Amino acid sequence: MKKTSRRDFLKLAGATGAGLLACGAGNALANEGLQVNNEELGMLYDATKCVGCKACMSACKRVNHDYGSLSYEKAKFDEDGLWDAPSDLSGSTRTLIKLFKESEQRWSYVKYSCMHCQKPSCVSVCPVSAMTKEKVSGIVDYNKNTCIGCRYCQIACPYNIPKFQWEKAVPQIVKCDLCKSTNLREKGISACAEVCPAGAIKFGKRKDLLDEAHQRLKDAPDKYVQHVYGEHEGGGTNHLYLASMPFNKLGLPEIKPEAPAEFSEKIQHTIYKGFIAPVALYSTLCFIAVKNMKKHESHDDDHKKGDK
């Protein structure tokens, strides 16, 4: 049996590392080109129908108060705490209605909550899979028992949606989950859509919501900005918008059609999957060791020739 030299071992280790890197690259490519799933659940918010009653906010907090560990937020002027009056999304507020006003004649309400992206960045960056996307419903969900509190999801979200409960002893991330464990389970609809008295929030499958949105644009072209926000932004979202004012003036960011998650997944699947990074580092060290061995052996040969 042939004895394996140290040089042969190092060469084999380096080749193995290169092979694993190639496999990682293949996995990254396999995750590209994911198709939009229009069968997933979502919401269509029509800002032209919204009357600013905030019934959706009240219903959201009432239904998800216990499950989501939500608290009521009183306004500064409300010393008795009679009303829940959050000024922004927070560790206690999943859904928010705001008023944007340009003039007495030009103004609009807008609703903020999780966009339930087709390719969510929060899911992509979460190192422990506390953020997940359900394959059938498309709901982007959060598991407080898995979360380690790194808050990468907050940084990654292009819509600035996830919030952290800084004030709680046992904090968690707060975001809309379409009432998955509460109203959706019991009644088949999100609480906000169920209670909206003006029909500003429509709940259903993405394909039906898109059909409805485009029909409204066709029926009243002068009423709406001719665009369905969320149809293509960031790879597509399941929370869709119609409005009479430009969406950027309503606080909704201008985002390219490419999903930010594709970039982060490419990095993770290439470098981290199967401990590729440590293997790559070890392979590099092996290469340096082999190179140094050759240099040392060449030096020894020259020294022996000189002795002769």
Side-chain angles (χ1 to χ4, degrees):
M1 182 177 180
K2 183 180 177 181
K3 184 177 180 181
T4 303
S5 66
R6 181 170 62 171
R7 177 187 293 179
D8 293 335
F9 173 76
L10 290 172
K11 284 182 178 180
L12 178 61
T16 302
L20 286 173
L21 280 174
C23 291
N27 287 331
L29 293 173
N31 282 277
E32 294 181 0
L34 296 176
Q35 298 298 312
V36 171
N37 183 3
N38 285 328
E39 294 294 324
E40 295 179 353
L41 295 176
M43 293 184 290
L44 171 63
Y45 171 77
D46 190 335
T48 67
K49 291 178 174 289
C50 182
V51 296
C53 67
K54 300 187 178 182
C56 55
M57 292 175 56
S58 297
C60 175
K61 189 161 289 188
R62 172 176 51 79
V63 169
N64 298 295
H65 181 272
D66 294 333
Y67 179 81
S69 187
L70 307 179
S71 302
Y72 289 99
E73 302 174 73
K74 70 177 184 179
K76 294 180 179 179
F77 62 83
D78 181 21
E79 295 182 358
D80 297 324
L82 298 177
W83 300 282
D84 179 40
S87 58
D88 205 346
L89 292 177
S90 68
S92 288
T93 299
R94 296 180 170 194
T95 298
L96 186 77
I97 295 292
K98 273 193 172 185
L99 170 66
F100 282 84
K101 193 173 183 180
E102 275 191 350
S103 64
E104 291 297 326
Q105 292 75 34
R106 191 168 172 78
W107 54 270
S108 175
Y109 291 108
V110 66
K111 173 181 176 287
Y112 294 139
S113 63
C114 179
M115 299 296 286
H116 294 280
C117 303
Q118 285 281 319
K119 301 174 185 177
S121 295
C122 59
V123 173
S124 177
V125 301
C126 183
V128 293
S129 296
M131 286 287 185
T132 56
K133 179 178 173 68
E134 292 192 348
K135 291 183 179 180
V136 178
S137 69
I139 294 173
V140 178
D141 197 15
Y142 167 75
N143 187 340
K144 63 182 179 181
N145 297 318
T146 305
C147 181
I148 58 175
C150 67
R151 301 185 295 281
Y152 286 171
C153 55
Q154 286 188 280
I155 299 170
C157 179
Y159 304 98
N160 193 29
I161 296 297
K163 301 301 177 184
F164 189 71
Q165 295 178 326
W166 295 98
E167 73 286 355
K168 301 249 176 129
V170 183
Q172 62 189 53
I173 291 292
V174 172
K175 59 172 287 299
C176 162
D177 60 2
L178 293 183
C179 301
K180 171 193 167 184
S181 301
T182 53
N183 222 65
L184 182 61
R185 176 181 292 176
E186 296 171 6
K187 302 179 181 180
I189 188 174
S190 63
C192 59
E194 181 188 22
V195 302
C196 181
I201 306 171
K202 185 177 178 65
F203 184 86
K205 290 187 176 181
R206 191 175 193 266
K207 64 176 182 180
D208 298 327
L209 299 177
L210 283 172
D211 288 344
E212 176 69 21
H214 284 291
Q215 188 61 49
R216 292 184 191 183
L217 294 181
K218 183 179 178 181
D219 293 342
D222 297 331
K223 182 179 181 181
Y224 296 101
V225 172
Q226 290 296 302
H227 178 62
V228 180
Y229 187 89
E231 182 174 9
H232 302 296
E233 279 78 7
T237 67
N238 294 340
H239 189 183
L240 306 169
Y241 287 80
L242 290 177
S244 60
M245 291 179 64
F247 295 103
N248 62 334
K249 291 187 177 181
L250 299 180
L252 295 171
E254 296 180 358
I255 298 177
K256 296 179 180 180
E258 296 78 20
E262 286 187 348
F263 178 70
S264 57
E265 283 181 2
K266 191 177 295 184
I267 294 175
Q268 287 181 323
H269 293 160
T270 301
I271 298 178
Y272 297 110
K273 189 170 184 179
F275 294 96
I276 295 296
V279 172
L281 176 61
Y282 182 69
S283 300
T284 302
L285 293 175
C286 287
F287 173 77
I288 295 173
V290 170
K291 188 175 181 180
N292 289 338
M293 283 172 58
K294 288 181 178 180
K295 185 185 293 186
H296 181 71
E297 289 176 359
S298 176
H299 177 75
D300 288 345
D301 291 341
D302 291 342
H303 184 69
K304 289 177 181 178
K305 289 178 181 180
D307 291 342
K308 291 180 180 178

